[in-house]
């Protein structure tokens, strides 16, 4: 990511270490030789991310973190998108620690956070993209969870889930009685599961200060900016690979990049990256600073909608400009396209965020035009 006004020394140190780690430990060519289950999730890789401090950017120093750092979250998610990382960074490394610190009591924090930050426990937070969209779970008369969770991203490899229900957040081990999972891969190699709950016993987070509404709103904002940043990372890598292909692939004795039509398409792709970076920077700055809530919400919704739309269009162009090899499993271009497709839906599709952007005062309504 380019140096921006909100980056500080911690951000730069995390980014530098993360890029070195990706170059040494997570090369696309090497990952392709692994078995599918290890490409989906590798416990050794997960522990390495913990050692690098990737899971310390959503909790305060009092609980083993660096503080809640939207800037660091955006940087790490951008690198994750660039590297096609399939580990549950957002759901387990960011959202779950943030929610447990915000809503748990001292006992719950000490019981769960250390293992999560050391990479030995995967707790996946299921955060609906809109406050009016519930996860399909209700509470029985005796306080147990009942219902069905569709497309619960990262639930396929979770040790426990954080599930909102009945105005509270519940910690549910997947080994608990009454929990059944049907895991399946997503389009891009990440995974999800359909989770069936039949009177499952879960522990509610204490929420001693009654902060669940604010904590969930904060989680939704972090998730939207994180997915937008992931999309920016995959866009940049797809563009870099495509530009190199245009320079080196030759037809009729000339690089195909000498074709003016392809040059124009490459410029359009560059513009998509630049405008996505601009709106993400604005959203991160709003979350890092003291922007009014409406202004911050508007920036977040704009970033998620625009960056994911641009990523989808840019990666489609990247595959087209690579030709037939671009659609193969062996080439990264097809993987960037598939990841962009998943990101476009994850934590709220474009139309949901555009509608929220308008409600937040981001554009005139039809009555105002």
């Amino acid at each position: 990511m380019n140096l921006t006004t909100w980056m500080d020394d911690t951000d730069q140190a995390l980014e530098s270490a993360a890029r070195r780690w990706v170059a040494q430990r997570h090369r696309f060519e090497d990952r392709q030789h692994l078995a599918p289950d290890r490409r989906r999730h590798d416990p050794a890789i997960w522990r390495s991310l913990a050692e690098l401090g990737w899971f310390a950017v959503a909790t305060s120093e009092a609980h083993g973190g660096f503080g809640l750092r939207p800037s660091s979250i955006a940087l790490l998610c951008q690198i994750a998108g660039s590297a096609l990382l399939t580990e549950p960074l957002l759901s387990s490394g960011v959202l779950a620690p943030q929610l447990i610190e915000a809503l748990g009591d001292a006992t719950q924090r000490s019981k769960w956070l250390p293992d999560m930050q050391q990479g030995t426990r995967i707790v996946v937070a299921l955060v609906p993209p809109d406050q009016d969209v519930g996860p399909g779970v209700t509470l029985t008369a005796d306080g147990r969870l009942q219902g069905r969770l569709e497309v619960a991203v990262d639930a396929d490899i979770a040790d426990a889930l954080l599930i909102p229900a009945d105005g509270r957040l519940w910690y549910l081990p997947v080994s608990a009685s009454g929990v059944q999972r049907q895991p399946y891969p997503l389009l891009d190699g990440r995974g999800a599961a359909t989770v069936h709950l039949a009177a499952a016993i879960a522990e509610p987070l204490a929420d001693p200060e009654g902060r669940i509404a604010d904590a969930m709103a904060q989680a939704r904002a972090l998730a939207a900016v994180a997915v937008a940043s992931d999309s920016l990372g995959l866009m940049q890598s797809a563009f870099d690979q495509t530009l190199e292909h245009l320079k080196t692939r030759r037809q009729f004795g000339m690089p195909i990049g000498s074709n003016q039509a392809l040059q124009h398409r490459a410029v359009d792709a560059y513009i998509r990256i630049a405008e996505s970076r601009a709106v993400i920077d604005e959203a991160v700055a709003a979350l890092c600073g003291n922007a009014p809530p409406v202004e911050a919400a508007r920036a977040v919704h704009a970033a998620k909608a625009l960056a994911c739309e641009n990523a989808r269009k840019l990666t489609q162009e990247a595959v087209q400009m690579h030709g037939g090899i671009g659609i193969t499993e062996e080439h990264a271009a097809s993987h960037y396209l598939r990841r962009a497709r998943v990101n476009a839906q994850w934590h709220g599709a474009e139309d949901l965020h555009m509608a929220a952007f308008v409600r937040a005062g981001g554009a005139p309504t039809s009555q105002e035009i």
Side-chain angles (χ1 to χ4, degrees), residues 273-286:
I273 293 172
E275 65 182 7
S276 298
R277 190 184 304 279
V279 293
I280 291 171
D281 281 353
E282 183 176 353
V284 172

Side-chain angles (χ1 to χ4, degrees), residues 69-88:
R69 300 180 56 84
S71 57
S72 298
I73 292 167
L75 284 167
L76 294 176
C77 287
Q78 182 187 341
I79 294 169
S82 175
L84 297 168
L85 186 73
T86 57
E87 303 292 339

Side-chain angles (χ1 to χ4, degrees), residues 149-172:
L149 297 164
E150 300 282 1
V151 196
V153 177
D154 294 326
D156 58 317
I157 56 173
D159 298 311
L161 303 174
L162 289 179
I163 302 172
D166 196 42
R168 304 188 75 176
L169 195 63
W170 301 77
Y171 181 95
L172 176 66

Side-chain angles (χ1 to χ4, degrees), residues 127-145:
V127 177
D130 187 278
Q131 62 182 352
D132 298 323
V133 179
V137 176
T138 58
L139 210 61
T140 63
D142 56 351
R144 301 188 180 199
L145 298 183

